[in-house]
């Protein structure tokens, strides 16, 4: 018996050459999933898993979502769990917080920047201060990472790719605290490779942990959300010139994973932060301040540099808009400046 | 005489009423209802309550259970209606037991608020302190019309509701004085007290209304026939988010009772100076409304029962305006006489005080005696005094706990203090 089982377990290629016919093992075609679909999957799984989860927001039900992020959910779960709201951000943000206070787990979706203008009071004063459940936010032209990251009592996550989007929204829904999920709608339609683990219904990305997207030795580039992609592009270009960037995807704004950033800086001795938000009082400013306070400061060979959105209200004309957000060339320039090359 | 009593008690021995004041030895007598004055029954004078105090005390057992009516019927003011065919009833029955309970509760709230006033002036309570004396019929009356499993949320004038929803005077006063024995461990203060099914205590004017609609949504979602009482004042009534909440509550038929506690002044601004329409019970537009005499606890109770039944039947939200009055200024930093006259305050006190109204009703219908109610006053005073002692002597929360309870259900983490070297631990 033991002999037979030993034979079975041995890899096929070691079996006698007489057995020529054998299965060809090829890797399955890598699954590509867009950020939009990843979020949709994440919400679907959580709606199925927990009766108390429900989604409310403008056009989330019958319209399938303004950006189609909630496509198919209303058809599957019905009026009770997927609720179309009138255009009343402050009102329904408050309703979401109240429902959470009473034990439900609402996903509150906002369509545009109106969110921060009208509903920020409910998110900060009602939700953050009284430890309730999740608020999910869609971002418009402005990056609210600094706004919400400023506030104790909230958790703030910022997904970049599909895997991030799914893992973080699931963690956010399951977290017993209010979580602001800064989705970047320019990323919704972008497909990414979806690793097998991410296809599981229990795939969660821990809140508060950054990910090293690309290993490097010369400089640490820290970013979140859409700019992570630009950093990787910049890193590819720089690699051809012999500069190896270590690109860190923060994934969580608050609580920030300083350990990962510090460890990287202590290895590379150089730091560039990249964000879409405005420079003053932003994510990059916070990272730099904390680096100075910690052990990594002594490992810096040059001052840390921030790459940010331009310090202007978002303009309309394409050329202006393009130059108001960090581009790949801006990142490359900052890296070279830091490395003095 | 004895034969008559025996006959009556035999007839009524089936009644399931608890003995009063623990007089277990006289169960049959306790079950007699609708007893008239002793003189009318031809009973000896010793059974009449005007007998000497000593004898009264000695025979308190007999007298208390024999001399009072068990209940009485009262007429109450008819409510103004908006989009409703009929309203709450115009008469109601008050039992002796309930009357004594309401009296005690109102008196407790009154004395607690006055004690808070005193402690504030002694600087033992600091910061914001908004007192609700004068409005006792609202918090006690609302509670009388709902179940403990129903939900309630209000704004910052919340001490009365914190009590009626189940917290002790001790916990409330200790929270006001910022001690660790307070209901929020001293970290919330006046405007942030919570209890089971009581969601505070909210500092942002009007923000609690969408929260209340959200709680009502949860009630409907869970399907347990619970309702949510969502309170706001005449000042907050002009907030836009309240109209957003009205719309969604009506659209989705949420079991939400919107309640406007109209005490005529939003801080220093009278209703006429703040609102184009002061008919707050109509401002829900498509939501039916009632205007209720908020100084009469029975009126409030009946209106609340009516409103709760309406919501529980699935018809959607309803609005109640309680016309009431606060004796204190807006808060402890407002003397309350720059925008209204002392005469006005005095007039309300002498003609419409809610505790006085209940007392008069009970005494005049023989539901209780003046002395008995005075005894309750003494007991309440003692309770408040003890609570104040505790609230003054209890230590403040320890500094180590500064960072606690930022998040729920999370593992401990570090919180930065005033500079990078000062760190606090945060435990959920």
């Amino acid at each position: 018996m033991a002999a037979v089982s030993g034979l079975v377990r041995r890899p096929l290629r070691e079996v006698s050459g007489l057995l020529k016919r054998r299965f060809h093992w090829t890797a399955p075609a890598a699954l590509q999933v867009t950020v939009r679909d990843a979020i949709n999957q994440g919400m679907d799984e959580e709606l199925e898993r927990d009766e108390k989860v429900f989604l409310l927001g403008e056009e989330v039900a019958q319209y399938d979502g303004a950006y189609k992020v909630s496509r198919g959910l209303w058809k599957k779960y019905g009026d009770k769990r997927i609720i179309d709201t009138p255009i009343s951000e402050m009102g329904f943000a408050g309703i979401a917080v109240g429902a959470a206070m009473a034990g439900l787990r609402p996903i509150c979706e906002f369509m545009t920047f109106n969110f921060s203008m009208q509903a920020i009071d409910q998110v900060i004063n009602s939700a953050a201060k009284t430890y309730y459940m999740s608020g999910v936010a869609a971002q418009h032209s402005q990056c609210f990472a600094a706004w919400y990251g400023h506030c104790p009592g909230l958790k703030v996550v910022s997904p970049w790719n599909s895997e991030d989007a799914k893992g973080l929204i699931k963690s956010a829904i399951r977290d017993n605290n209010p979580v602001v999920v800064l989705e970047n709608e320019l990323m919704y339609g972008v497909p990414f490779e979806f690793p097998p683990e991410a296809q599981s219904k229990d795939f969660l990305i821990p809140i508060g942990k950054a990910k090293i997207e690309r290993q490097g030795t010369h400089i640490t580039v820290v970013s979140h959300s859409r700019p992570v992609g630009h950093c990787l592009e910049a890193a590819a270009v720089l690699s051809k010139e012999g500069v190896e960037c270590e690109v860190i995807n923060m994934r969580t704004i608050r609580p920030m994973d300083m350990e990962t950033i510090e460890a990287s800086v202590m290895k590379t001795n150089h730091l560039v932060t990249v964000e879409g938000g405005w420079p003053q009082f932003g994510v990059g400013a916070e990272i730099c301040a904390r680096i100075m306070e910690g052990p990594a400061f002594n490992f810096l060979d040059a001052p840390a540099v921030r790459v940010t959105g331009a310090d202007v209200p978002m303009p309309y004309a394409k050329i202006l808009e393009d130059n108001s957000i960090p581009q790949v060339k801006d990142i490359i320039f900052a890296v070279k400046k830091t490395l003095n090359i | 005489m004895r034969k008559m009593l025996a006959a009556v008690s035999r007839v009524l021995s089936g009644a399931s009423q608890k003995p009063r004041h623990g007089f277990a030895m006289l169960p049959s007598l306790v079950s007699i209802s609708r007893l008239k004055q002793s003189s009318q029954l031809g009973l000896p004078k010793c059974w009449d309550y005007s007998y000497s105090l000593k004898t009264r005390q000695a025979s308190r057992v007999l007298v208390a259970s024999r001399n009072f009516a068990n209940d009485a019927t009262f007429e109450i003011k008819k409510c103004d209606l908006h989009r409703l065919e009929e309203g709450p009833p115009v008469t109601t029955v008050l039992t002796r037991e309930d009357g004594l309970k309401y009296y005690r509760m109102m008196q407790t709230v009154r004395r607690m608020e006055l004690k808070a006033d005193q402690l504030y002036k002694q600087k033992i309570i600091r910061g914001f302190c908004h007192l609700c004396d004068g409005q006792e019929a609202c918090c006690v009356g609302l509670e009388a019309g709902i179940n403990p499993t129903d939900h309630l949320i209000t704004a910052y004038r919340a001490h009365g509701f914190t009590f009626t929803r189940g917290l002790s005077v001790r916990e409330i006063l200790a929270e006001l004085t910022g001690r660790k024995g307070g209901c929020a461990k001293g970290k919330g203060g006046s405007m942030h007290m919570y209890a089971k099914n009581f969601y505070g205590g909210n500092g942002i004017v009007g923000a609690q209304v969408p929260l209340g609609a959200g709680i009502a949504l949860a009630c409907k979602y869970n399907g347990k026939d619970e309702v949510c009482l969502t309170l706001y004042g005449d000042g907050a009534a002009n907030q836009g988010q309240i109209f957003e909440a009205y719309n969604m509550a009506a659209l989705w038929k949420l079991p939400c009772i919107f309640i406007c506690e109209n005490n005529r002044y939003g801080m220093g601004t009278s209703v006429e100076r703040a609102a184009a329409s002061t008919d707050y019970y109509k401002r829900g537009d498509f939501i039916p409304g009632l205007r209720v005499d908020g100084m009469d606890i029975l009126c409030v109770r009946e209106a609340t029962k009516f409103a709760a039944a309406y919501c529980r039947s699935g018809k959607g939200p309803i609005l109640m305006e309680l016309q009431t009055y606060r004796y204190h200024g807006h808060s402890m930093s407002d003397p309350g006489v720059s925008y209204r006259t002392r005469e006005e305050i005095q007039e309300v006190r002498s003609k419409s005080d809610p505790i006085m109204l209940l007392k008069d009703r009970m005494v005049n219908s023989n539901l209780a005696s003046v002395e008995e109610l005075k005894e309750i006053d003494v007991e309440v005073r003692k309770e408040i005094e003890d609570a104040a002692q505790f609230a003054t002597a209890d230590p403040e929360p320890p500094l180590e706990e500064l960072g606690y309870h930022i998040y729920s259900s999370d593992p401990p983490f570090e919180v930065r203090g005033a500079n990078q070297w000062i760190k606090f631990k945060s435990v959920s």
Side-chain angles (χ1 to χ4, degrees), chain B residues 275-286:
Chain B
S277 161
T278 55
D279 288 334
Y280 295 100
Y281 71 113
K282 289 187 186 166
R283 304 252 317 249
D285 188 8
F286 36 78

Side-chain angles (χ1 to χ4, degrees), chain B residues 301-331:
Chain B
R301 181 182 75 171
E302 288 313 306
T304 310
K305 282 187 183 165
F306 176 87
Y310 181 94
C311 282
R312 280 188 237 278
S313 68
K315 298 199 188 104
I318 190 169
L319 213 160
M320 271 168 56
E321 177 189 341
L322 303 178
Q323 291 187 304
T324 182
Y325 198 84
R326 54 167 162 81
Y327 296 143
H328 267 85
H330 164 72
S331 70

Side-chain angles (χ1 to χ4, degrees), chain B residues 154-176:
Chain B
T154 184
Y156 47 78
R157 204 173 299 282
H159 307 160
F161 292 102
T162 315
F163 174 72
T164 53
R165 282 262 95 190
L167 290 190
S168 66
V169 178
R170 242 165 104 96
E171 289 173 290
I172 296 172
L173 286 182
E175 185 57 38
L176 290 176

Side-chain angles (χ1 to χ4, degrees), chain A residues 53-118:
Chain A
V53 178
F54 70 99
L55 171 67
L56 82 167
E58 294 156 14
E59 309 300 347
V60 297
Q62 299 187 18
Y63 196 81
D64 271 338
Y67 300 100
K68 307 301 176 210
V69 181
S70 53
R71 176 169 38 211
L73 296 179
W74 176 66
K75 229 179 178 170
K76 185 171 175 186
Y77 295 102
D79 284 331
K80 180 179 173 184
R81 315 274 309 276
I82 314 291
I83 304 174
D84 274 335
T85 63
I87 304 174
S88 316
E89 274 76 9
M90 199 167 185
F92 70 73
I95 284 183
V97 175
M101 280 160 65
L104 299 184
R105 287 186 178 271
I107 309 169
C108 179
E109 182 180 302
F110 299 92
M111 206 192 286
T112 72
F113 75 88
N114 284 331
F115 146 82
S116 71
M117 302 305 150
Q118 295 183 353

Side-chain angles (χ1 to χ4, degrees), chain A residues 17-325:
Chain A
L18 282 172
L19 295 169
K20 294 268 193 225
R21 202 186 304 164
R22 57 187 189 215
F23 296 113
H24 277 277
W25 185 83
T26 45
L31 180 63
Q32 292 267 313
V33 176
T34 62
V35 173
R36 168 184 295 117
D37 290 342
I39 300 169
N40 185 290
Q41 239 183 69
M43 290 200 289
D44 191 355
E45 286 167 12
E46 295 306 299
L47 281 157
E48 191 169 331
R49 177 180 174 270
D50 185 354
E51 263 286 298
K52 297 202 186 73
V53 178
F54 70 99
L55 171 67
L56 82 167
E58 294 156 14
E59 309 300 347
V60 297
Q62 299 187 18
Y63 196 81
D64 271 338
Y67 300 100
K68 307 301 176 210
V69 181
S70 53
R71 176 169 38 211
L73 296 179
W74 176 66
K75 229 179 178 170
K76 185 171 175 186
Y77 295 102
D79 284 331
K80 180 179 173 184
R81 315 274 309 276
I82 314 291
I83 304 174
D84 274 335
T85 63
I87 304 174
S88 316
E89 274 76 9
M90 199 167 185
F92 70 73
I95 284 183
V97 175
M101 280 160 65
L104 299 184
R105 287 186 178 271
I107 309 169
C108 179
E109 182 180 302
F110 299 92
M111 206 192 286
T112 72
F113 75 88
N114 284 331
F115 146 82
S116 71
M117 302 305 150
Q118 295 183 353
I120 196 165
D121 174 69
Q122 293 290 4
V123 178
I124 307 277
N125 283 322
S126 303
K129 289 187 182 171
T130 350
Y131 338 123
Y132 317 128
M133 238 302 285
S134 177
V136 171
Q139 183 182 339
H140 193 68
S141 333
Q142 195 179 345
C143 177
F144 287 92
W147 291 54
Y148 290 106
H150 190 56
C151 186
L154 284 185
K155 295 191 184 179
V156 183
V157 299
S158 183
W160 163 55
N161 61 10
S162 304
E163 184 185 333
D164 287 355
K166 180 172 174 184
L168 289 172
I169 198 170
K170 285 170 74 77
S171 292
I173 292 170
R174 295 192 197 188
D175 199 311
N176 287 339
N177 296 285
V179 183
V180 176
V181 180
L182 298 170
E183 293 169 9
N184 189 319
E185 84 268 17
L186 294 173
M187 299 301 291
Y188 284 149
V190 180
F192 287 92
E193 199 171 296
F194 216 51
E197 333 57 277
Q199 293 167 43
S200 149
K201 286 199 168 156
D202 283 310
F203 173 65
L204 299 172
I205 287 182
I207 295 179
K209 201 84 191 70
K211 182 183 179 198
I212 300 178
E213 296 287 351
R214 183 189 193 280
Q215 297 268 359
T217 47
H218 297 125
I219 185 165
T220 300
V221 182
V222 185
S223 184
H224 73 97
S225 191
R226 186 159 172 260
V228 172
H230 299 141
C231 292
L232 290 169
E233 274 181 60
V237 170
L238 285 162
S239 179
K240 295 202 189 84
E241 297 177 40
V243 176
E244 293 305 323
C245 301
E246 179 147 291
V247 178
I248 299 180
N249 171 9
M250 290 174 71
R251 287 178 160 179
T252 301
I253 304 295
R254 182 190 257 271
M256 207 187 295
D257 181 0
M258 263 326 275
E259 270 131 34
T260 304
I261 300 173
E262 275 172 340
S264 177
V265 170
M266 279 153 69
K267 183 175 84 173
T268 66
N269 312 124
H270 297 88
L271 174 63
V272 168
T273 68
V274 184
E275 70 197 279
W278 295 313
Q280 292 206 41
F281 311 100
V283 175
E286 177 65 18
I287 294 174
C288 291
R290 288 212 216 175
I291 288 286
M292 281 201 287
E293 291 169 0
F297 172 71
N298 291 312
F299 289 76
L300 280 175
D301 285 346
V305 163
R306 298 175 293 162
V307 179
T308 68
D311 202 13
V312 293
M314 180 59 75
Y316 179 67
K318 181 128 180 42
I319 183 170
L320 297 178
E321 182 175 353
D322 286 346
N323 280 281
S324 299
I325 50 175

